Amino acid sequence: MHDNDSKYVIREVSNLQKVAIRANGDHECTFTSVVHLIDVQMLIQAFQEIRKDAASGVDGITAEEYSYNILVNLHSLYKRLLSGEYKAKPVKRVWINKEDGRKRPLGIPALEDKIVQKAVEKIMNIIYEPIFQDYSFGFRPRRSQHDALKMIREKCLENNINWIVDADVSSYFDTIDHNQLTEFIKLRLNDGGMIRLINKWLKAGVMEEVTLTESAIGTPQGGIISPILSNIYLHYVLDDWFSNVVKPRMKGRCFMVRYADDFIVGFESKDDVERFMKVLPKRFAKYGLKIHPEKTKVIKFGRPVKRSQKSMRGTFDFLGFTHYWAKSRNDNWVIKRKTKQKKRKLKRQELWKWIKQNRHRTIEYLQAKLSEKLNGYYNYFGVRCNIEDLKSLNRFVINALKYWLSRRSRKRMNWDKFNKVVMEKMQLPKPKLSNRLCMV
């Protein structure tokens, strides 16, 4: 790197640090001039941080192709940003299979749109992170689903929670109002250049094969910028409203935990939960959103008094887990979690199908891929009190392997032969709780 480049990096980092210091120190501050921070060096950093193995967008350009003349390409992109000639391309839509057999749309932005969005996201994260509520976890740095699960358990116990609202927002990402989103952004980031960039992505539309569909509402599918835009919208629609309007008016204690558009609200008082449910749909309707009337549930979830009350206790699902009351080894009532039944079923269906389709592969290939799949499951669902589900999945995989591998030929394998021919060579990972999750 040349001396001039070193000065360039130092200046850019210094400016970002100044923005961070101001953002952390003044939560009421409105930033009016930050778009100039997007320079060639920041675009280089953004390119380094995006996925290089992702499919190409409507422009057909891959990260590998773009990197051949990376400096020339990024200087050209910077000049177009500076002059206002940069144009956002439509998001390419493809359909992928879900675990339950249905298909879901996947949006693939053009490569240069990803790069600029990544740069904008870096700046917006610095500006908005200090004002986001502590109980918001989705798409935020150093915050995970397990952090959200831990908070739910702690708040239920601390606040003597008796009622849970399990809320569902209908098609949230597809129904965000562009005008209202822009107004929300301006409350904290009133920079004309940044607003114009965001609006270009919002209005770019979706390309499916040769059909272009304009975007009147919703955030860009698959866009790097979409998560923080969606968090900003719900921050003002829900989070701030809950903290500043709802909680002060409640008779008993209450809490909320949100991960993206999924959120749980707990209440100590039945009167409070009834009042909340009367105003929640109205609040969302005011901003073009809809609370799903059938999927949104109110669950009685108070600590049981007697063991005989077991059949009367409610359960709720959140982030793939079913939460329920049970007795601990010390004979105390505690909140435990187990893998949601639908998740268990879909995972087993997925593995059965995969083993069937790959039964003629080598033992080494099967071991590598199944180890990857099992470790991913263990790392997420390996929380305290859920070890039996992990053991059950391990047994299921072994049974599925025996069933399909014994059908490679007309000769069937009994268990002795299967263990000798297959399992002695295939060392699958043992079911275990993740150390960092054991206390979740």
Side-chain angles (χ1 to χ4, degrees):
M1 184 177 287
H2 298 297
D3 291 340
N4 290 338
D5 292 335
S6 298
K7 294 177 182 177
Y8 199 62
V9 174
I10 293 171
R11 180 184 59 79
E12 183 257 326
V13 171
S14 177
N15 284 337
L16 280 179
Q17 286 176 339
K18 289 178 182 178
V19 172
I21 292 169
R22 189 176 179 189
N24 281 290
D26 187 356
H27 291 187
E28 301 298 324
C29 172
T30 300
F31 292 82
T32 58
S33 180
V34 293
V35 72
H36 66 278
L37 296 176
I38 304 175
D39 51 26
V40 176
Q41 185 60 39
M42 180 175 278
L43 293 176
I44 291 173
Q45 292 176 356
F47 177 77
Q48 291 172 343
E49 293 177 17
I50 65 173
R51 283 184 55 187
K52 306 300 187 297
D53 58 346
S56 59
V58 295
D59 56 356
I61 299 174
T62 65
E64 183 180 3
E65 294 168 342
Y66 199 82
S67 65
Y68 290 149
N69 293 299
I70 185 65
L71 291 179
V72 173
N73 290 331
L74 290 179
H75 272 91
S76 172
L77 175 58
Y78 173 66
K79 288 179 180 178
R80 280 178 277 136
L81 287 168
L82 206 60
S83 64
E85 296 176 359
Y86 163 78
K87 293 183 179 180
K89 293 179 175 61
V91 174
K92 178 182 177 181
R93 176 184 286 168
V94 296
W95 295 85
I96 61 174
N97 294 323
K98 296 178 66 176
E99 292 179 344
D100 58 6
R102 295 182 297 171
K103 293 183 179 293
R104 69 177 179 88
L106 176 67
I108 308 174
L111 182 65
E112 287 195 334
D113 292 333
K114 291 181 184 178
I115 296 170
V116 183
Q117 287 184 24
K118 188 65 181 179
V120 171
E121 182 207 38
K122 288 166 69 72
I123 297 171
M124 294 184 76
N125 271 334
I126 289 173
I127 292 172
Y128 282 96
E129 267 300 305
I131 69 168
F132 284 158
Q133 298 289 349
D134 289 340
Y135 49 77
S136 167
F137 290 91
F139 311 127
R140 294 181 61 188
R142 298 174 296 280
R143 285 171 172 259
S144 70
Q145 290 144 307
H146 294 106
D147 294 328
L149 293 168
K150 182 179 180 181
M151 179 175 280
I152 288 175
R153 181 177 181 275
E154 291 175 348
K155 293 297 183 182
C156 282
L157 296 174
E158 289 174 5
N159 297 318
N160 191 31
I161 296 302
N162 294 304
W163 301 88
I164 291 288
V165 174
D166 180 4
D168 183 275
V169 186
S170 299
S171 303
Y172 171 62
F173 294 94
D174 297 328
T175 54
I176 293 176
D177 182 86
H178 290 176
N179 292 332
Q180 188 61 65
L181 173 60
T182 301
E183 293 306 311
F184 283 149
I185 292 171
K186 288 180 179 179
L187 294 175
R188 179 72 167 170
L189 177 58
N190 195 8
D191 182 320
M194 295 287 273
I195 297 296
R196 283 191 290 274
L197 279 175
I198 292 169
N199 279 321
K200 285 181 179 181
W201 297 319
L202 292 175
K203 305 297 183 184
V206 175
M207 180 72 76
E208 188 170 355
E209 294 182 349
V210 295
T211 304
L212 175 63
T213 304
E214 294 184 355
S215 303
I217 55 175
T219 56
Q221 281 188 351
I224 292 173
I225 200 67
S226 293
I228 190 166
L229 295 182
S230 65
N231 261 343
I232 290 170
Y233 204 76
L234 276 186
H235 170 76
Y236 289 107
V237 172
L238 178 62
D239 299 354
D240 265 11
W241 172 70
F242 181 79
S243 292
N244 300 324
V245 178
V246 175
K247 286 188 74 173
R249 288 170 169 76
M250 296 294 101
K251 297 177 181 178
R253 290 170 289 182
C254 61
F255 78 93
M256 183 169 72
V257 171
R258 179 171 70 82
Y259 193 93
D261 60 326
D262 294 326
F263 62 97
I264 293 290
V265 190
F267 293 91
E268 184 179 18
S269 164
K270 184 179 180 180
D271 289 341
D272 288 343
V273 74
E274 291 174 349
R275 292 169 61 199
F276 178 75
M277 288 306 297
K278 287 181 181 179
V279 297
L280 180 64
K282 298 176 183 177
R283 173 69 182 182
F284 272 61
K286 180 180 178 181
Y287 298 100
L289 303 176
K290 183 179 180 181
I291 295 293
H292 199 294
E294 296 175 1
K295 294 183 179 180
T296 298
K297 303 173 184 178
V298 177
I299 301 113
K300 188 173 183 179
F301 195 72
R303 186 196 304 267
V305 178
K306 301 177 181 178
R307 189 179 291 274
S308 59
Q309 287 186 326
K310 182 176 180 179
S311 61
M312 299 173 61
R313 297 197 303 275
T315 66
F316 68 92
D317 297 327
F318 190 63
L319 298 180
F321 288 91
T322 297
H323 299 67
Y324 63 100
W325 284 98
K327 280 285 189 176
S328 69
R329 292 180 180 178
N330 298 326
D331 204 39
N332 296 318
W333 286 110
V334 296
I335 297 173
K336 296 184 178 182
R337 305 173 192 81
K338 59 184 177 182
T339 309
K340 184 179 174 181
Q341 184 62 32
K342 184 177 179 181
K343 291 287 185 181
R344 286 169 50 91
K345 182 178 179 180
L346 289 177
K347 190 61 180 181
R348 284 153 178 75
Q349 290 175 345
E350 174 201 335
L351 288 169
W352 181 269
K353 182 179 179 181
W354 187 90
I355 293 170
K356 175 183 177 182
Q357 292 174 341
N358 292 274
R359 63 186 183 275
H360 294 295
R361 298 270 197 162
T362 65
I363 296 297
E364 292 76 17
Y365 178 86
L366 292 173
Q367 176 183 336
K369 292 299 181 182
L370 285 173
S371 295
E372 182 181 317
K373 293 175 182 292
L374 287 172
N375 279 326
Y377 191 90
Y378 296 164
N379 286 337
Y380 186 75
F381 289 104
V383 302
R384 186 173 54 179
C385 304
N386 198 39
I387 188 65
E388 290 305 319
D389 174 54
L390 276 56
K391 293 179 179 178
S392 171
L393 183 67
N394 185 269
R395 292 192 296 268
F396 176 87
V397 168
I398 292 172
N399 287 329
L401 280 169
K402 180 184 179 298
Y403 181 89
W404 287 113
L405 295 186
S406 67
R407 281 155 178 75
R408 284 181 170 184
S409 64
R410 294 181 180 179
K411 296 181 180 180
R412 297 291 187 260
M413 285 189 290
N414 58 29
W415 277 104
D416 288 338
K417 185 176 181 180
F418 172 74
N419 288 330
K420 184 176 181 179
V421 174
V422 179
M423 295 311 296
E424 287 184 4
K425 298 178 181 178
M426 184 183 293
Q427 299 298 319
L428 294 177
K430 301 289 186 183
K432 63 179 180 179
L433 302 183
S434 175
N435 288 333
R436 66 186 180 85
L437 304 180
C438 288
M439 298 305 295
V440 172

